[in-house]
Amino acid sequence: MKDMIISNLKQVHERIENACKLSGRNVSDVQLLLATKTVPADKIRIAIEAGETLIGENKMQELRDKDSGLQGLDIKRHFIGHLQTNKIKDVLKYVTCIQSLDRLSLAEELHKQLQNQGRNLDVFIQVNTSYEESKFGLPPKDVVSFIREIKKYNTLNIKGLMTIGLLDVEKEKMQPSLSLLRQIRDEIYAEEIEGITELKLSMGMSQDLELAIAEGSNIVRVGTSIFGNRFLGKEIWNENIAE
């Protein structure tokens, strides 16, 4: 198991490096996030001890259950799944960033909890660039106005945009949903919103990381290509399916 994970990590980093070369980007501009949904702590620990530092979880219960198994490791944890407001207090115990901010009610409750704790939090705005009902995220047309709305919550540090692109066997079908996130970021820049000077893009997974890097992704979220297929027989990209 250890050899497989380390070998897979090497291959993924080679894919990232090659994609950066092809698109004329510096490899230091792209960070690998380990997507660890359903991955046990012992497997995550192998990857962290091999040099990785960033993991992303989709479920509050997994954050809690794996915490003891990851003690003593120099890691940052992001929350990358749909976040219910009643889980905010618990999630904040473990994460330094929430990549799935997609509604005003969530921003309001996050702000309240963060005020009570006397801290700030990095957030990414999740955008549904593939327009699929199976995915959460803001409609692309609403992103600029949403950012203007949540700017009033000074506990939220807006760091970027996140999307789950359309997954297909044909690159021509996948690329538009990734390109759209970059276009939305550029539209935000054109608005010259106070305090918004640099936004990272979190997009690209095992299947489409090269396309995402070509479109400017700064964080690729990879699980299957590192830990193997954990979801046989499941609709893994339907975010509305409870597990």
Side-chain angles (χ1 to χ4, degrees):
M1 178 177 69
K2 180 176 180 179
D3 290 344
M4 180 200 75
I5 291 173
I6 291 175
S7 176
N8 288 347
L9 278 171
K10 182 180 178 181
Q11 292 178 32
V12 168
H13 279 289
E14 287 174 352
R15 289 176 62 188
I16 293 170
E17 290 169 9
N18 290 334
C20 287
K21 288 178 182 177
L22 286 173
S23 56
R25 299 185 59 197
N26 192 323
V27 70
S28 63
D29 292 336
V30 181
Q31 187 172 15
L32 173 61
L33 177 148
L34 307 178
T36 53
K37 183 178 181 179
T38 77
V39 179
D42 59 337
K43 288 188 176 182
I44 300 172
R45 179 173 281 273
I46 291 170
I48 299 299
E49 290 176 345
E52 302 306 319
T53 58
L54 181 62
I55 67 175
E57 288 287 359
N58 293 67
K59 303 287 184 181
M60 167 55 216
Q61 183 175 342
E62 289 197 53
L63 277 169
R64 182 190 63 214
D65 293 349
K66 298 174 192 177
D67 186 57
S68 61
L70 299 176
Q71 288 296 315
L73 297 176
D74 183 15
I75 57 173
K76 290 184 178 179
R77 281 175 281 194
H78 288 195
F79 193 80
I80 59 176
H82 182 65
L83 179 57
Q84 299 172 354
T85 53
N86 64 343
K87 301 288 181 65
I88 289 175
K89 187 174 182 180
D90 290 327
V91 166
L92 289 177
K93 297 176 183 176
Y94 305 102
V95 303
T96 60
C97 177
I98 290 173
Q99 289 200 19
S100 50
L101 180 57
D102 63 354
R103 60 199 187 279
L104 191 58
S105 60
L106 179 59
E108 291 173 345
E109 187 59 32
L110 277 169
H111 178 63
K112 290 179 184 177
Q113 294 288 347
L114 291 165
Q115 277 189 316
N116 291 338
Q117 296 179 22
R119 60 180 281 210
N120 290 7
L121 183 75
D122 292 346
V123 296
F124 282 58
I125 311 303
Q126 183 174 357
V127 188
N128 187 349
T129 58
S130 60
Y131 300 95
E132 294 174 273
E133 292 184 3
S134 60
K135 294 174 183 174
F136 292 104
L138 287 165
K141 64 180 179 61
D142 294 343
V143 177
V144 172
S145 59
F146 182 74
I147 285 180
R148 291 189 185 280
E149 279 288 319
I150 66 171
K151 275 289 297 173
K152 62 187 177 185
Y153 301 124
N154 59 9
T155 59
L156 302 179
N157 305 322
I158 303 171
K159 293 295 185 179
L161 308 175
M162 183 271 267
T163 196
I164 301 169
L166 177 69
L167 296 182
D168 199 281
V169 294
E170 298 179 34
K171 292 182 179 180
E172 294 76 12
K173 292 182 179 180
M174 292 193 289
Q175 191 153 5
S177 60
L178 303 172
S179 177
L180 180 54
L181 196 70
R182 173 180 52 78
Q183 294 170 28
I184 294 169
R185 181 197 60 190
D186 293 345
E187 291 172 9
I188 295 167
Y189 286 164
E191 293 291 322
E192 297 184 344
I193 302 171
E194 184 180 357
I196 304 295
T197 57
E198 181 180 3
L199 294 172
K200 292 185 177 181
L201 301 180
S202 174
M203 59 182 181
M205 297 177 286
S206 293
Q207 187 172 345
D208 62 348
L209 70 85
E210 286 88 356
L211 292 174
I213 289 172
E215 292 295 343
S217 179
N218 304 105
I219 300 175
V220 291
R221 309 182 305 273
V222 181
T224 299
S225 290
I226 296 169
F227 301 107
N229 192 344
R230 300 97 71 203
F231 306 104
L232 295 176
K234 293 185 179 182
E235 291 187 72
I236 62 170
W237 299 122
N238 188 334
E239 294 188 289
N240 291 292
I241 295 178
E243 297 201 356

